[in-house]
Amino acid sequence: SQKIEQNSEALNIQEGKTATLTCNYTNYSPAYLQWYRQDPGRGPVFLLLIRENEKEKRKERLKVTFDTTLKQSLFHITASQPADSATYLCALDNYGQNFVFGPGTRLSVLP
Amino acid sequence: EAGVAQSPRYKIIEKRQSVAFWCNPISGHATLYWYQQILGQGPKLLIQFQNNGVVDDSQLPKDRFSAERLKGVDSTLKIQPAKLEDSAVYLCASSQATWRNDQPQHFGDGTRLSIL
């Protein structure tokens, strides 16, 4: 069956460190993968999109990798700040029609 | 540009009552999505429109949920009758995506529905 897993429900890290979030999938062949940030009581906000033929994408302190062999995407936030605390969602392209979201990882950056 | 507008922000009803949600997408966005997000989970797609046609409604409980997008702009999602398990946040999103899935989705802040 199809499955999307994101690393532990919650991740706590110290301010200034690099946060690494994982998104693993089974029985999907996504051409695109997106990452979103969601704050409590708000809708998800788009962060990055990476294509299947791209290994890595960067935007300011954010970096995403996409390994179609391992069926995994990693999302990194460098020099993390308390303001980065939120839930992060990965979303997989569903055969070009729409996206399927993972369950999310709640990140807390401790000062 | 103005974002995706949703109303109401909160709604409390009793089970077996009906409820409707409204969404105004970003101007010019062809594709509109309705998602259900249960606490602690990721958004789950209920229905996807491209202009005013339905692209995917495979996960919409059609015995109680209905949605329409008149004139390819605004959309409404209705639940009738509501069940306790429908308690969730209902998110609307829009996108410029048409035949390729390479565009971001822009979300509204959702309607939080509580069923008593």
Side-chain angles (χ1 to χ4, degrees):
Chain A
S1 65
Q2 294 177 313
K3 191 188 297 185
I4 304 171
E5 295 177 307
Q6 295 191 237
N7 52 328
S8 54
E9 266 190 35
L11 181 65
N12 296 328
I13 64 164
Q14 211 64 40
E15 182 177 5
K17 300 292 186 184
T18 296
T20 299
L21 285 64
T22 61
C23 177
N24 295 294
Y25 57 91
T26 307
N27 292 326
Y28 286 100
S29 297
Y32 309 95
L33 190 148
Q34 298 181 348
W35 283 88
Y36 288 79
R37 168 185 174 140
Q38 187 172 27
D39 291 291
R42 305 299 300 274
V45 173
F46 171 78
L47 296 174
L48 283 166
L49 177 147
I50 187 165
R51 295 171 169 75
E52 62 179 337
N53 60 353
E54 296 176 317
K55 295 296 184 191
E56 182 180 297
K57 202 82 169 280
R58 291 175 185 261
K59 178 183 174 183
E60 298 172 353
R61 295 184 296 111
L62 309 180
K63 183 177 87 171
V64 172
T65 63
F66 190 9
D67 189 325
T68 56
T69 302
L70 291 178
K71 297 187 182 299
Q72 180 182 75
S73 175
L74 299 179
F75 177 80
H76 306 273
I77 306 175
T78 58
S80 59
Q81 305 164 0
D84 295 325
S85 298
T87 295
Y88 291 86
L89 299 157
C90 67
L92 271 60
D93 162 58
N94 186 24
Y95 299 104
Q97 185 158 290
N98 44 49
F99 278 87
V100 179
F101 281 82
T105 296
R106 190 170 66 250
L107 174 68
S108 296
V109 181
L110 309 172
Chain B
E1 65 181 3
V4 175
Q6 288 190 249
S7 67
R9 284 286 279 134
Y10 304 93
K11 191 73 178 179
I12 301 173
I13 62 172
E14 294 187 347
K15 61 183 179 185
R16 291 188 290 274
Q17 286 188 323
S18 63
V19 64
F21 314 123
W22 174 83
C23 173
N24 183 232
I26 292 174
S27 177
H29 280 193
T31 304
L32 185 147
Y33 312 82
W34 282 102
Y35 289 90
Q36 180 192 61
Q37 187 173 28
I38 292 171
L39 189 64
Q41 298 182 18
K44 171 187 158 188
L45 181 69
L46 293 175
I47 189 167
Q48 176 185 352
F49 292 95
Q50 186 165 314
N51 298 311
N52 59 350
V54 175
V55 174
D56 185 352
D57 63 357
S58 57
Q59 298 191 91
L60 186 75
K62 298 179 188 65
D63 57 334
R64 298 184 301 106
F65 286 64
S66 65
E68 60 182 7
R69 188 181 185 196
L70 297 175
K71 300 181 182 178
V73 181
D74 291 11
S75 179
T76 56
L77 176 70
K78 297 179 182 177
I79 308 175
Q80 183 179 14
K83 291 186 174 180
L84 293 175
E85 68 215 44
D86 299 332
S87 292
V89 175
Y90 290 85
L91 294 163
C92 178
S94 69
S95 167
Q96 291 180 314
T98 50
W99 63 277
R100 272 196 321 194
N101 233 357
D102 61 350
Q103 298 294 319
Q105 296 175 67
H106 299 264
F107 284 83
D109 285 334
T111 297
R112 183 176 298 276
L113 176 65
S114 297
I115 312 293
L116 304 179

